Amino acid sequence: MSIKVRYIYSACIVLETEDVKILCDPWVSEGVYDGSWYHYPKLENPIDVIGFTDLIYISHIHPDHYDPKFLKVYLAKYPKTKIIIAPFQNNFLSKRMQLDKIPHNIETNILLGNTKLWLIPNERAWFDVDSALLVEHKGHTVVNMNDNIYNQDTIKHYHI
């Protein structure tokens, strides 16, 4: 098995290897940004569509990436799922998650069997917000960059 990528909607995808299943940026709750953003078509039961994942990666604090309402419901159904975020200098996301009582781990890299994960803070941003997730499995690589400006040098730096 290489790396499978399954699109849910918006920035939400599931990355899967034989070692780990990762849900990325699960924005599901309708009406973010003061009631102006909604999904189309709407998933009637997104938790069933997504299913169990080992990890949830949240790239940054914006409400179309970090959905605390959904995360609480998801973790109630799948309490063994761990949430991971990047090691930002000020880490506004971690501070917000603490206030929202969302358990999470700040990670730099993770090794799970034959799968390597790197959580990469956006080095080009003047503020401490966006991050990327690099997943490598048996010679295949996927980089989930969402709202980042692509920077090949950053990827090469982390991808050893």
Side-chain angles (χ1 to χ4, degrees), residues 57 81 117 119 153 157:
Y57 162 68
T81 299
L117 311 175
L119 288 82
D153 292 336
H157 172 76

Coordinates of all heavy atoms in Angstrom, one line a residue, residues 57 81 117 119 153 157:
Y57 N -5.0 15.9 12.3 CA -4.0 17.0 12.1 C -4.8 18.3 11.8 O -5.6 18.4 10.9 CB -3.1 16.7 10.9 CG -2.3 17.9 10.4 CD1 -1.3 18.5 11.1 CD2 -2.6 18.4 9.1 CE1 -0.7 19.6 10.7 CE2 -1.9 19.5 8.6 CZ -1.0 20.1 9.4 OH -0.3 21.2 8.9
T81 N -8.6 8.6 19.3 CA -8.0 9.4 18.2 C -7.2 10.5 18.9 O -7.7 11.2 19.8 CB -9.0 10.0 17.3 OG1 -9.7 8.9 16.7 CG2 -8.4 10.9 16.3
L117 N 6.0 11.2 9.7 CA 5.2 12.4 9.6 C 6.1 13.6 10.1 O 6.8 13.4 11.1 CB 4.0 12.4 10.5 CG 3.1 11.1 10.4 CD1 2.0 11.3 11.5 CD2 2.5 11.0 9.0
L119 N 5.5 17.7 11.0 CA 4.6 18.9 11.1 C 5.5 20.1 11.0 O 6.4 20.4 11.8 CB 3.9 18.8 12.4 CG 2.8 17.7 12.5 CD1 3.4 16.4 12.8 CD2 1.8 18.1 13.5
D153 N 12.3 24.5 -0.8 CA 13.4 24.4 0.2 C 13.0 24.0 1.6 O 13.7 23.2 2.2 CB 14.1 25.8 0.3 CG 14.8 26.2 -1.0 OD1 15.2 25.3 -1.8 OD2 15.0 27.4 -1.2
H157 N 14.2 20.5 3.3 CA 14.8 20.6 4.7 C 14.3 19.5 5.6 O 15.0 18.9 6.3 CB 14.6 22.0 5.3 CG 15.0 22.1 6.7 ND1 16.3 22.2 7.1 CD2 14.3 22.1 7.8 CE1 16.4 22.3 8.4 NE2 15.1 22.2 8.9

